[in-house]
Amino acid sequence: MKIPNYIRQLLRNVQHAATPLLDIGGGIVVKHEALGLNPMHKCRSAAWLWVRRLIRYGMPKGVVDRSSGSWAVANSIISGACRLPSIFITVGDPHPVVLEIVESNGGKFIVVKKNEERRFELQCLRNQRFWCPDQHNNLQVIQAFEETLGQETANDLRQACIDPKKLRYVVGAVGTGGSLAGLVRGLRANGFDQFEAVGCDSTASMASSGLHAPPPFLLPLPGVGSADEVCRTFREARKSFPGPMIRI
């Protein structure tokens, strides 16, 4: 499918909106994703997935997914620019700020009481030709960050004259794990291959509660999916940072 030029340019800009690499001293540099044009880093992976959806299948009727946070914001921004509806299904009310942004882009939330209802509503909308990027069970999320955040960060490190042999640790926050795994893979593909990757997760996340399980981490993760599901994205991402995660 030929993507309209304004949509193509939008998606390119969102994927590759540069963010700074900051030297904060003590041998620590920070790739600060909050200081770019995108409101959050997930805009990168969402735009990457949108491009491939449009090329392969054309414009969907709309987008639907399970999210009450940044994934909903990112996809509502893109779907709004494409003049398509977006619907996000959540157990419990979304944060007021998130709700405001999603609604300002023509999106809405369906609030249910339990995950069984959430899966039912999701499938009903998919049957109506709504597209679901499904961040919890889509391994392409990792590839998206590898080709955007990973590549950009490798370029930033080279421009900062940081020798690959001196890059000892790469530390990142983990939800589904897609951004950290993609960053790690992107760096390694560009010659930065002698570091240890360390994931950090909040004690409030249910993902942390199952980390004592042995590989391949076939465990339900309520914080990044639901108590009765397995997050395939997280399971695949853990291959890129297999060591113990830091709980904060």
Side-chain angles (χ1 to χ4, degrees), residues 66 115 118-119 134-139 176 216-236:
R66 297 170 294 174
N115 191 53
R118 187 167 66 163
R119 289 204 307 268
D134 196 2
Q135 67 168 333
H136 298 115
N137 295 289
N138 189 346
L139 305 189
T176 58
F217 300 95
L218 298 172
L219 66 159
L221 298 165
V224 287
S226 298
D228 53 353
E229 293 182 89
V230 171
C231 178
R232 291 176 59 245
T233 306
F234 179 84
R235 187 174 64 192
E236 180 66 21

Tab-separated table of all heavy atoms in Angstrom, residues 66 115 118-119 134-139 176 216-236:
chain	number	residue	atom	x	y	z
A	66	ARG	N	-5.042	-3.334	24.806
A	66	ARG	CA	-5.182	-3.293	26.260
A	66	ARG	C	-4.110	-2.364	26.797
A	66	ARG	O	-2.929	-2.652	26.679
A	66	ARG	CB	-5.015	-4.691	26.844
A	66	ARG	CG	-6.074	-5.677	26.381
A	66	ARG	CD	-5.736	-7.089	26.780
A	66	ARG	NE	-4.537	-7.565	26.077
A	66	ARG	CZ	-3.959	-8.734	26.322
A	66	ARG	NH1	-4.450	-9.519	27.263
A	66	ARG	NH2	-2.897	-9.098	25.658
A	115	ASN	N	-10.019	-9.279	33.770
A	115	ASN	CA	-9.325	-9.510	32.510
A	115	ASN	C	-10.118	-10.363	31.534
A	115	ASN	O	-9.996	-10.203	30.327
A	115	ASN	CB	-7.973	-10.167	32.779
A	115	ASN	CG	-7.103	-10.173	31.544
A	115	ASN	OD1	-6.887	-9.143	30.921
A	115	ASN	ND2	-6.616	-11.345	31.165
A	118	ARG	N	-11.988	-8.065	29.577
A	118	ARG	CA	-11.107	-7.283	28.734
A	118	ARG	C	-10.748	-8.050	27.464
A	118	ARG	O	-10.760	-7.492	26.360
A	118	ARG	CB	-9.834	-6.913	29.505
A	118	ARG	CG	-8.930	-5.963	28.766
A	118	ARG	CD	-7.861	-5.374	29.651
A	118	ARG	NE	-6.906	-6.358	30.141
A	118	ARG	CZ	-5.717	-6.048	30.645
A	118	ARG	NH1	-5.348	-4.791	30.732
A	118	ARG	NH2	-4.914	-6.991	31.085
A	119	ARG	N	-10.444	-9.329	27.610
A	119	ARG	CA	-10.126	-10.148	26.446
A	119	ARG	C	-11.335	-10.276	25.520
A	119	ARG	O	-11.194	-10.264	24.293
A	119	ARG	CB	-9.647	-11.536	26.885
A	119	ARG	CG	-8.272	-11.551	27.524
A	119	ARG	CD	-7.611	-12.918	27.411
A	119	ARG	NE	-8.469	-13.980	27.927
A	119	ARG	CZ	-8.432	-14.400	29.190
A	119	ARG	NH1	-7.596	-13.856	30.054
A	119	ARG	NH2	-9.214	-15.374	29.587
A	134	ASP	N	-0.897	-5.088	20.089
A	134	ASP	CA	-0.673	-6.083	21.150
A	134	ASP	C	0.752	-6.075	21.694
A	134	ASP	O	1.529	-7.002	21.464
A	134	ASP	CB	-1.032	-7.479	20.639
A	134	ASP	CG	-1.190	-8.475	21.776
A	134	ASP	OD1	-1.063	-8.064	22.954
A	134	ASP	OD2	-1.443	-9.663	21.506
A	135	GLN	N	1.091	-5.025	22.440
A	135	GLN	CA	2.455	-4.886	22.951
A	135	GLN	C	2.887	-6.031	23.861
A	135	GLN	O	4.078	-6.322	23.980
A	135	GLN	CB	2.593	-3.560	23.696
A	135	GLN	CG	1.784	-3.469	24.980
A	135	GLN	CD	2.173	-2.275	25.838
A	135	GLN	OE1	3.288	-1.804	25.778
A	135	GLN	NE2	1.239	-1.782	26.620
A	136	HIS	N	1.951	-6.694	24.512
A	136	HIS	CA	2.314	-7.752	25.450
A	136	HIS	C	2.697	-9.056	24.760
A	136	HIS	O	3.369	-9.898	25.349
A	136	HIS	CB	1.156	-8.036	26.415
A	136	HIS	CG	0.800	-6.868	27.270
A	136	HIS	ND1	-0.407	-6.227	27.185
A	136	HIS	CD2	1.507	-6.200	28.204
A	136	HIS	CE1	-0.444	-5.219	28.046
A	136	HIS	NE2	0.713	-5.183	28.666
A	137	ASN	N	2.264	-9.236	23.527
A	137	ASN	CA	2.495	-10.504	22.831
A	137	ASN	C	2.955	-10.270	21.400
A	137	ASN	O	2.538	-10.967	20.486
A	137	ASN	CB	1.217	-11.348	22.830
A	137	ASN	CG	0.814	-11.771	24.228
A	137	ASN	OD1	1.468	-12.604	24.842
A	137	ASN	ND2	-0.245	-11.183	24.746
A	138	ASN	N	3.833	-9.300	21.209
A	138	ASN	CA	4.299	-8.955	19.876
A	138	ASN	C	5.816	-8.780	19.911
A	138	ASN	O	6.321	-7.755	20.375
A	138	ASN	CB	3.621	-7.671	19.389
A	138	ASN	CG	3.899	-7.387	17.939
A	138	ASN	OD1	4.797	-7.978	17.338
A	138	ASN	ND2	3.140	-6.472	17.363
A	139	LEU	N	6.533	-9.769	19.422
A	139	LEU	CA	7.985	-9.734	19.489
A	139	LEU	C	8.575	-8.664	18.576
A	139	LEU	O	9.749	-8.307	18.717
A	139	LEU	CB	8.562	-11.112	19.131
A	139	LEU	CG	8.024	-12.295	19.959
A	139	LEU	CD1	8.816	-13.550	19.659
A	139	LEU	CD2	8.036	-11.985	21.452
A	176	THR	N	7.274	-4.392	29.803
A	176	THR	CA	7.265	-5.602	28.979
A	176	THR	C	8.677	-5.978	28.554
A	176	THR	O	8.906	-7.077	28.058
A	176	THR	CB	6.405	-5.398	27.716
A	176	THR	OG1	6.929	-4.295	26.977
A	176	THR	CG2	4.957	-5.129	28.078
A	216	PRO	N	12.623	-20.788	30.780
A	216	PRO	CA	12.480	-19.547	30.021
A	216	PRO	C	11.406	-18.606	30.570
A	216	PRO	O	10.745	-17.908	29.808
A	216	PRO	CB	12.087	-20.063	28.633
A	216	PRO	CG	11.242	-21.268	28.940
A	216	PRO	CD	11.868	-21.884	30.171
A	217	PHE	N	11.215	-18.571	31.866
A	217	PHE	CA	10.307	-17.642	32.506
A	217	PHE	C	8.870	-17.798	31.995
A	217	PHE	O	8.212	-16.837	31.616
A	217	PHE	CB	10.782	-16.190	32.326
A	217	PHE	CG	12.145	-15.966	32.911
A	217	PHE	CD1	13.272	-16.050	32.099
A	217	PHE	CD2	12.304	-15.706	34.265
A	217	PHE	CE1	14.537	-15.858	32.640
A	217	PHE	CE2	13.575	-15.518	34.798
A	217	PHE	CZ	14.683	-15.605	33.985
A	218	LEU	N	8.409	-19.032	31.973
A	218	LEU	CA	7.022	-19.302	31.555
A	218	LEU	C	6.107	-19.071	32.748
A	218	LEU	O	5.661	-19.990	33.413
A	218	LEU	CB	6.903	-20.734	31.043
A	218	LEU	CG	7.749	-21.043	29.806
A	218	LEU	CD1	7.727	-22.527	29.490
A	218	LEU	CD2	7.207	-20.264	28.618
A	219	LEU	N	5.834	-17.823	33.037
A	219	LEU	CA	5.069	-17.485	34.219
A	219	LEU	C	4.085	-16.375	33.894
A	219	LEU	O	4.318	-15.554	33.024
A	219	LEU	CB	5.982	-17.034	35.359
A	219	LEU	CG	6.753	-15.730	35.151
A	219	LEU	CD1	7.177	-15.174	36.498
A	219	LEU	CD2	8.004	-15.965	34.327
A	220	PRO	N	2.955	-16.366	34.582
A	220	PRO	CA	2.006	-15.264	34.381
A	220	PRO	C	2.545	-13.989	35.002
A	220	PRO	O	3.185	-14.015	36.052
A	220	PRO	CB	0.749	-15.752	35.115
A	220	PRO	CG	1.255	-16.702	36.144
A	220	PRO	CD	2.468	-17.365	35.536
A	221	LEU	N	2.306	-12.873	34.352
A	221	LEU	CA	2.846	-11.597	34.800
A	221	LEU	C	1.730	-10.563	34.845
A	221	LEU	O	1.479	-9.862	33.866
A	221	LEU	CB	3.962	-11.135	33.862
A	221	LEU	CG	5.169	-12.073	33.787
A	221	LEU	CD1	6.028	-11.738	32.602
A	221	LEU	CD2	5.972	-11.989	35.063
A	222	PRO	N	1.032	-10.443	35.949
A	222	PRO	CA	-0.103	-9.522	36.008
A	222	PRO	C	0.264	-8.081	35.720
A	222	PRO	O	-0.527	-7.331	35.189
A	222	PRO	CB	-0.603	-9.687	37.454
A	222	PRO	CG	-0.120	-11.036	37.869
A	222	PRO	CD	1.200	-11.221	37.178
A	223	GLY	N	1.474	-7.665	36.037
A	223	GLY	CA	1.837	-6.276	35.833
A	223	GLY	C	2.047	-5.913	34.379
A	223	GLY	O	1.956	-4.763	34.001
A	224	VAL	N	2.334	-6.892	33.548
A	224	VAL	CA	2.573	-6.628	32.132
A	224	VAL	C	1.714	-7.549	31.283
A	224	VAL	O	2.133	-8.075	30.278
A	224	VAL	CB	4.062	-6.813	31.772
A	224	VAL	CG1	4.886	-5.685	32.313
A	224	VAL	CG2	4.592	-8.142	32.287
A	225	GLY	N	0.533	-7.747	31.686
A	225	GLY	CA	-0.418	-8.608	31.000
A	225	GLY	C	-1.547	-8.841	31.966
A	225	GLY	O	-2.264	-7.924	32.319
A	226	SER	N	-1.659	-10.047	32.478
A	226	SER	CA	-2.692	-10.343	33.456
A	226	SER	C	-2.336	-11.615	34.200
A	226	SER	O	-1.477	-12.381	33.769
A	226	SER	CB	-4.053	-10.499	32.769
A	226	SER	OG	-4.410	-9.288	32.140
A	227	ALA	N	-3.008	-11.831	35.320
A	227	ALA	CA	-2.689	-12.963	36.167
A	227	ALA	C	-2.909	-14.292	35.459
A	227	ALA	O	-2.311	-15.296	35.811
A	227	ALA	CB	-3.532	-12.908	37.445
A	228	ASP	N	-3.769	-14.307	34.440
A	228	ASP	CA	-4.069	-15.558	33.763
A	228	ASP	C	-3.474	-15.608	32.353
A	228	ASP	O	-3.935	-16.338	31.491
A	228	ASP	CB	-5.583	-15.776	33.693
A	228	ASP	CG	-6.325	-14.590	33.089
A	228	ASP	OD1	-5.683	-13.552	32.848
A	228	ASP	OD2	-7.538	-14.706	32.872
A	229	GLU	N	-2.423	-14.806	32.117
A	229	GLU	CA	-1.780	-14.800	30.806
A	229	GLU	C	-0.265	-14.756	30.968
A	229	GLU	O	0.251	-14.384	32.009
A	229	GLU	CB	-2.223	-13.584	29.991
A	229	GLU	CG	-3.682	-13.601	29.594
A	229	GLU	CD	-4.011	-12.388	28.747
A	229	GLU	OE1	-3.868	-12.485	27.517
A	229	GLU	OE2	-4.393	-11.368	29.307
A	230	VAL	N	0.425	-15.117	29.913
A	230	VAL	CA	1.880	-14.992	29.862
A	230	VAL	C	2.229	-13.897	28.870
A	230	VAL	O	1.701	-13.850	27.764
A	230	VAL	CB	2.535	-16.320	29.429
A	230	VAL	CG1	4.015	-16.133	29.162
A	230	VAL	CG2	2.304	-17.383	30.488
A	231	CYS	N	3.107	-12.995	29.268
A	231	CYS	CA	3.543	-11.903	28.400
A	231	CYS	C	4.686	-12.400	27.526
A	231	CYS	O	5.828	-12.517	27.973
A	231	CYS	CB	4.000	-10.715	29.254
A	231	CYS	SG	4.622	-9.330	28.289
A	232	ARG	N	4.401	-12.699	26.259
A	232	ARG	CA	5.406	-13.257	25.359
A	232	ARG	C	6.515	-12.247	25.069
A	232	ARG	O	7.679	-12.622	24.877
A	232	ARG	CB	4.752	-13.716	24.060
A	232	ARG	CG	3.850	-14.925	24.231
A	232	ARG	CD	3.146	-15.292	22.934
A	232	ARG	NE	4.093	-15.591	21.867
A	232	ARG	CZ	4.221	-14.864	20.757
A	232	ARG	NH1	3.466	-13.789	20.572
A	232	ARG	NH2	5.094	-15.198	19.822
A	233	THR	N	6.175	-10.962	25.015
A	233	THR	CA	7.196	-9.950	24.765
A	233	THR	C	8.239	-9.961	25.877
A	233	THR	O	9.447	-9.928	25.627
A	233	THR	CB	6.558	-8.561	24.643
A	233	THR	OG1	5.535	-8.586	23.651
A	233	THR	CG2	7.594	-7.519	24.255
A	234	PHE	N	7.778	-10.004	27.117
A	234	PHE	CA	8.695	-10.031	28.261
A	234	PHE	C	9.555	-11.291	28.245
A	234	PHE	O	10.771	-11.237	28.474
A	234	PHE	CB	7.895	-9.958	29.556
A	234	PHE	CG	8.743	-10.009	30.800
A	234	PHE	CD1	9.334	-8.856	31.300
A	234	PHE	CD2	8.947	-11.196	31.481
A	234	PHE	CE1	10.120	-8.898	32.445
A	234	PHE	CE2	9.724	-11.250	32.622
A	234	PHE	CZ	10.310	-10.096	33.106
A	235	ARG	N	8.928	-12.411	27.935
A	235	ARG	CA	9.657	-13.681	27.916
A	235	ARG	C	10.791	-13.639	26.907
A	235	ARG	O	11.908	-14.095	27.171
A	235	ARG	CB	8.688	-14.820	27.591
A	235	ARG	CG	9.296	-16.208	27.709
A	235	ARG	CD	8.236	-17.268	27.525
A	235	ARG	NE	7.660	-17.230	26.188
A	235	ARG	CZ	6.561	-17.885	25.830
A	235	ARG	NH1	5.897	-18.586	26.731
A	235	ARG	NH2	6.115	-17.827	24.599
A	236	GLU	N	10.538	-13.081	25.717
A	236	GLU	CA	11.573	-12.968	24.700
A	236	GLU	C	12.615	-11.913	25.082
A	236	GLU	O	13.822	-12.111	24.869
A	236	GLU	CB	10.940	-12.606	23.352
A	236	GLU	CG	11.919	-12.454	22.204
A	236	GLU	CD	12.604	-13.747	21.830
A	236	GLU	OE1	12.073	-14.826	22.162
A	236	GLU	OE2	13.681	-13.680	21.205
